Structure formats: C-alpha cells, structure tokens
Amino acid sequence: MKERIIKIMEKEQMTPSKFAEEIGIQRSALSHILSGRNKASLDVLMKILARFDYLNTDWLLFGKGSMFRPDKVAFQPQLFDETEKFAVVGTDEPEYSKENELKKIPSEPNIIDKEAIKLHYMPSRNVSKILLFYSDNTFETFVPQKEE
C-alpha cells in the first residue's frame, strides 16, 4: 500500500507534507503509513480516491490493474511547448463520446502588460531588545545602548 501512495506522490510531484494536506489528514498520520508503522485506514484511502479521482480503486486497494481509471481522460500540457498535447490516461483506445471530446486551446503569445511599480517605504526600525534562551531554562536580555 505505501509503495502505491509513494507512486501517487511521485506522479503528482508532492512532498509527503503537501500530499497529507491535499487529502486532509495529519502529516504524522501519513508519516506513520510511509514508515510502515501503521497501515492506511479506509478513511485515508477514501480521501485519496476522492482527491485523485483518476486513480483505479482496485490498483490502490489491491495493486491490481492499471494505476489509472480507464474512463478518465487527462489533458497534460507541456511547459514551454506551443503544440497541444493530449493524453488518454489508462487506455490505448478511448470510447468516443461528446463529453470526452478534447477541446483545443488556442496558443496565444504571452503579452506582458507594463505596470507602474509602486514602492512602499517602511519606516526604519531599530533593535530594541534581544532575548537568548538557553537549554537549562535560563535566559539573558540584551538592550542596546542609546546613542547620544
């Protein structure tokens, strides 16, 4: 199970922290799953399937079949690529239906609007106090001397 969760995080290019946030669980819960201490609960699996609806349930639960649901079509744009790229996830030959028809997005040159840059000046700030806390539960306070 944890190998499949790791594979999802790699595909989505997410850190464990971001993945836990995306599916709505504590980071520590995901850490325990990834370390092998705990197994993923049904609640965690349902949250993964709800967030990543392209995942094949049998693959996530049992490791059987393709990672992707055969009925999901995904558009995968390539960064800095002016051609339209389409990919069908989970199957080589998709069934034709009107809702699965992919729409081409016209590629337009990036137009950068020139805007005036506003600078916000902050009043100067001076250090008024420095506190140092030590491991033996003591501390010291340093206050700078005022210039005359």
Side-chain angles (χ1 to χ4, degrees):
M1 177 68 62
K2 76 176 184 179
E3 293 82 15
R4 293 187 291 277
I5 292 173
I6 291 170
K7 192 167 186 176
I8 297 166
M9 290 189 311
E10 288 172 353
K11 186 215 173 293
E12 292 293 328
Q13 298 176 344
M14 289 184 179
T15 63
S17 177
K18 179 69 175 162
F19 185 79
E21 180 183 317
E22 284 287 319
I23 64 172
I25 65 171
Q26 295 290 322
R27 289 182 300 194
S28 60
L30 182 62
S31 175
H32 292 299
I33 293 168
L34 296 178
S35 70
R37 179 175 175 224
N38 296 348
K39 295 189 184 229
S41 67
L42 181 58
D43 183 51
V44 169
L45 296 173
M46 295 302 293
K47 288 180 178 190
I48 292 172
L49 290 170
R51 169 58 182 84
F52 304 103
D53 65 345
Y54 63 83
L55 291 174
N56 182 349
T57 306
D58 286 339
W59 175 82
L60 182 61
L61 295 176
F62 310 112
K64 295 180 181 178
S66 170
M67 178 181 184
F68 308 107
R69 287 179 40 188
D71 61 333
K72 287 291 178 179
V73 177
F75 171 67
Q76 297 176 341
Q78 299 295 318
L79 193 60
F80 305 115
D81 189 358
E82 294 181 12
T83 62
E84 292 81 21
K85 298 224 177 198
F86 300 98
V88 177
V89 177
T91 180
D92 293 332
E93 297 180 30
E95 280 187 30
Y96 176 78
S97 67
K98 194 68 176 171
E99 66 266 4
N100 287 346
E101 190 174 287
L102 298 173
K103 311 287 189 283
K104 286 191 175 185
I105 299 172
S107 57
E108 296 180 8
N110 292 337
I111 299 172
I112 300 173
D113 293 329
K114 294 182 180 179
E115 295 181 10
I117 298 175
K118 296 179 182 178
L119 297 177
H120 298 280
Y121 291 100
M122 300 287 292
S124 64
R125 299 185 302 179
N126 297 321
V127 175
S128 62
K129 186 189 313 184
I130 299 174
L131 291 170
L132 292 177
F133 295 94
Y134 297 101
S135 60
D136 63 353
N137 293 327
T138 61
F139 67 93
E140 287 184 67
T141 303
F142 295 94
V143 179
Q145 295 176 354
K146 293 188 180 185
E147 295 179 20
E148 296 177 16

